[in-house]
């Protein structure tokens, strides 16, 4: 999916990112304040899933009201709580009606002279053994999770292979690495992500991975292949986090250099 050129001549590309909003019956005032300011701070808003707490239509409608405050493009993936919806088509239609681009093994590219492309999947649990250890699930349970993990990884692989962009950003809900799981109990690791995602990411020239889901995790990590990973769950970042990429670094032989800031007060 392509997108018209973004306005302006700034020398940085700014991604505002947050996950795990878990919207229920109301939207917290501090979140409304941050979202209302994001238009002046970023070129794109990325939401890494668990937009709602239970996938209910009323929760999606509240989220849509929140997202209508945003005038910059919004890119999102669905989380495991969103997938609880009993009316998934209606759920997604409400979000897309509010301008949200929902990535489900799909891509979108934004053009500021240099093309910044996003590939996204919700992802899945499945665990990180043997790449990052440990193997904490009984073999039969792991095999059941592994089916979905491989399917989601294959969707991401196809999306990245088709993505024609100067810089590639991956958006998932589940973690591709244990390095952003922080204080999460080791026994929960197989439910928080899987190493199949990292294997796919490391086969492609990905500059940044954004994920959520691990509420007790830490902000910064890397895949086994060295790709930069950021956990932007609301509780980890304390709100919306801005990732700034100086566009001149894209013409450098070195890897792109991201700066991380918050929403100005």
């Amino acid at each position: 999916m392509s997108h018209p050129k973004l306005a302006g001549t700034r020398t940085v590309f700014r991604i505002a990112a947050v996950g795990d909003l878990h919207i229920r019956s109301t939207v917290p005032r501090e979140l409304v304040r941050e979202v209302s300011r994001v238009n002046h701070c970023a070129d794109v808003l990325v939401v890494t899933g668990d937009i709602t707490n239970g996938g209910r239509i009323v929760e999606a409608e509240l989220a849509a009201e929140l997202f209508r405050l945003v005038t910059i493009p919004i890119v999102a993936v669905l989380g495991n709580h969103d997938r609880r919806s009993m009316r998934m088509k209606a759920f997604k239609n409400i979000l897309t009606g509010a301008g949200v681009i929902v990535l489900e093994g799909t891509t979108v590219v934004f053009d500021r002279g240099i093309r910044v492309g996003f590939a996204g999947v919700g992802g899945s649990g499945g665990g990180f053994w043997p790449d990052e250890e440990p193997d904490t699930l009984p073999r039969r349970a792991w095999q059941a999770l592994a089916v979905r993990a491989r399917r989601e990884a294959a969707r991401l692989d196809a999306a990245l292979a088709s993505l024609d962009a100067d810089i590639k950003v991956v958006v998932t809900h589940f973690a591709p690495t244990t390095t952003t799981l922080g204080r999460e109990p080791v026994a929960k690791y197989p439910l928080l992500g899987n190493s199949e995602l990292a294997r796919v990411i490391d086969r492609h020239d990905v500059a940044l991975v954004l994920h959520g889901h691990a509420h007790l995790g830490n902000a910064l990590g890397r895949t086994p292949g060295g790709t930069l990973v950021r956990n932007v769950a609301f509780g980890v970042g304390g709100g919306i986090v801005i990732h700034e990429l100086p566009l001149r670094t894209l013409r450098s032989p070195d890897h792109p250099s991201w700066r991380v800031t918050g929403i100005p007060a």
Side-chain angles (χ1 to χ4, degrees), residues 80 83 123-130 132-150 174-178 181 184-197 213-214:
N80 55 301
R83 290 173 182 162
S124 169
F128 301 92
W129 185 87
E132 297 184 72
E133 299 287 354
D135 182 16
T136 61
L137 276 185
R139 184 56 44 190
R140 184 174 297 177
W142 187 91
Q143 288 172 345
L145 276 174
V147 172
R148 183 175 182 88
R150 287 194 295 268
F174 287 79
T177 171
T178 63
L181 298 188
E184 293 284 0
V186 171
K188 285 184 62 178
Y189 279 18
L191 304 177
L192 296 173
N194 71 81
S195 57
E196 296 284 348
L197 292 171
H213 192 46

Side-chain angles (χ1 to χ4, degrees), residues 13 15 114-119 160 163 165-171 200-210 220-223 226-230 243-246 249-250 254-259:
F13 189 90
I15 302 171
I114 291 174
R115 298 162 301 161
V116 182
F118 295 79
L160 283 168
L163 183 57
D166 299 300
I167 184 164
K168 298 180 180 182
V169 177
V170 166
V171 183
V200 166
I201 289 163
D202 286 339
R203 285 201 296 269
H204 297 270
D205 186 18
V206 174
L208 175 66
V209 181
L210 299 169
L220 178 64
R222 291 190 181 271
T223 63
T227 305
L228 179 64
V229 181
R230 300 284 311 191
H243 301 75
E244 293 188 347
L245 176 68
T249 66
L250 296 181
D254 301 321
H255 289 294
S257 176
W258 296 92
R259 295 195 298 259

